[in-house]
Amino acid sequence: MNAASVKPKEKLVKRDVLEIYTEDTPFAELSEIIYEDENLIAYNKEQDISCYTAKGELSPGLYELAAEHMKETGEFSINSYTLPYLCHGLATNVGGIVLIAKDEILFRYVAEALAQRRIKRYYRCIVHGVPQYENFELHNKLFAKDKISKVQILEQSSKDGIPVYLRAKLLKTDGQRSLLEIDMVTDHPAQICAQLAYMKLPVLGDQVYGSTRQNRKGAAKYPALWLHRIEG
C-alpha cells in the first residue's frame, strides 16, 4: 500500500494506492486469501478451480469458498446484500489474483474501474522461445465463431474480428524459454495465449494454442500463466 508492504488486514483510507501481488512462486497449491479488509477479499486462486462451481463439479468454486469464509466471520447476510461479488474472473486453468467485493456498491465500482483501466491487471507467463525485443506490443484482430470454438488471431488490417491489444515485457530468459509480464489493454479470455502463439511464442502448458510436442517435453499440465499483480 502506497509503495510499502502492509499486513493483509490493513485498512484502506481515501487516496491510498493498493497494489496486490503474488509471491515469486506464483502457483498456489490451495486457494488462499492474500489481502482482506471490511470491503474486499483478494484470493490467490489455484489452477484447476473455477470461479463458480459448475454443474457436476464436486469441488467448491472460488465464490463458494468466499461465501463460506464470510459466513465464518459473521459478515455474510442475504438481507443486507453483504455477499461475495466476483469483480472479475479467471479461467479454471489460470491461477492468480481474484478480487471479491463484499457488497454490491464496491463491486460496481471495482468492475467499472477495471473496465476503464483505472485498476490494472498484470499477468506473467512462461513461453517457448525468446521475443525479438525486450518490450513489445501486439495489435491484432480476434475472431470467434462462437463462445465454444477456438478463437483465431488475424492481422490488424483484417475486416473480420474485434481489436485485441496487449503490451509485453521480457523479464528473463534461458535462451529457450522466457518469462514475460503482460499488460492486457483489451480484455478477452483467450487473448494472451492466442496472440502469443500467433507470434510463435506459445505459452508453456497451453493445450489449446500451444505446442503439444513442447508441452509434453516440459511436462506441463496447465498453462504457465497467472495474474500476478493488480494495482490502482
Side-chain angles (χ1 to χ4, degrees), residues 152-193:
Q152 183 180 1
I153 297 297
L154 308 171
E155 290 296 324
Q156 189 179 11
S157 58
S158 174
K159 295 181 180 179
D160 298 321
I162 58 173
V164 286
Y165 170 29
L166 63 78
R167 301 187 183 104
K169 179 180 181 179
L170 173 64
L171 299 178
K172 60 182 178 181
T173 182
D174 64 3
Q176 295 184 330
R177 296 174 182 168
S178 303
L179 175 65
L180 306 181
E181 181 169 81
I182 305 294
D183 175 13
M184 286 177 65
V185 180
T186 53
D187 185 15
H188 189 285
Q191 178 183 342
I192 294 177
C193 289

Side-chain angles (χ1 to χ4, degrees), residues 7-223:
K7 296 179 180 179
K9 288 284 186 178
E10 190 78 20
K11 292 185 178 181
L12 291 171
V13 297
K14 190 175 182 179
R15 299 188 186 283
D16 276 341
V17 176
L18 180 63
E19 181 177 344
I20 301 173
Y21 55 90
T22 59
E23 298 291 343
D24 291 336
T25 303
F27 299 113
E29 293 184 5
L30 293 172
S31 296
E32 58 182 351
I33 295 173
I34 56 175
Y35 175 83
E36 183 179 13
D37 59 29
E38 67 270 25
N39 300 308
L40 182 74
I41 306 173
Y43 272 93
N44 183 15
K45 185 181 86 69
E46 64 186 290
Q47 292 177 298
D48 200 28
I49 181 175
S50 57
C51 285
Y52 293 96
T53 302
K55 186 177 181 180
E57 286 186 349
L58 299 178
S59 300
L62 204 62
Y63 174 87
E64 287 73 24
L65 292 178
E68 187 61 30
H69 172 73
M70 290 180 66
K71 289 175 182 177
E72 290 176 355
T73 59
E75 297 171 286
F76 189 96
S77 173
I78 294 177
N79 293 333
S80 62
Y81 296 99
T82 309
L83 311 166
Y85 294 82
L86 269 70
C87 300
H88 62 95
L90 281 180
T92 300
N93 60 2
V94 175
I97 302 169
V98 176
L99 299 181
I100 299 178
K102 295 182 180 180
D103 61 71
E104 187 176 0
I105 295 174
L106 182 65
F107 162 72
R108 292 185 180 277
Y109 172 82
V110 173
E112 182 181 85
L114 286 167
Q116 296 175 350
R117 286 179 53 79
R118 289 184 285 115
I119 297 177
K120 295 184 179 181
R121 289 168 283 181
Y122 295 90
Y123 292 77
R124 286 191 178 182
C125 62
I126 299 171
V127 300
H128 297 286
V130 182
Q132 186 175 358
Y133 301 103
E134 183 176 346
N135 295 280
F136 59 98
E137 300 180 356
L138 299 181
H139 298 259
N140 299 101
K141 290 286 186 69
L142 182 148
F143 178 75
K145 185 178 180 181
D146 51 50
K147 293 183 178 180
I148 301 176
S149 301
K150 179 178 176 179
V151 303
Q152 183 180 1
I153 297 297
L154 308 171
E155 290 296 324
Q156 189 179 11
S157 58
S158 174
K159 295 181 180 179
D160 298 321
I162 58 173
V164 286
Y165 170 29
L166 63 78
R167 301 187 183 104
K169 179 180 181 179
L170 173 64
L171 299 178
K172 60 182 178 181
T173 182
D174 64 3
Q176 295 184 330
R177 296 174 182 168
S178 303
L179 175 65
L180 306 181
E181 181 169 81
I182 305 294
D183 175 13
M184 286 177 65
V185 180
T186 53
D187 185 15
H188 189 285
Q191 178 183 342
I192 294 177
C193 289
Q195 280 191 281
L196 290 175
Y198 184 76
M199 296 302 296
K200 309 300 182 186
L201 295 168
V203 173
L204 173 67
D206 176 19
Q207 307 298 331
V208 179
Y209 304 96
S211 166
T212 301
R213 179 180 61 82
Q214 290 174 318
N215 288 338
R216 190 180 298 116
K217 185 187 299 184
K221 185 177 180 181
Y222 301 111

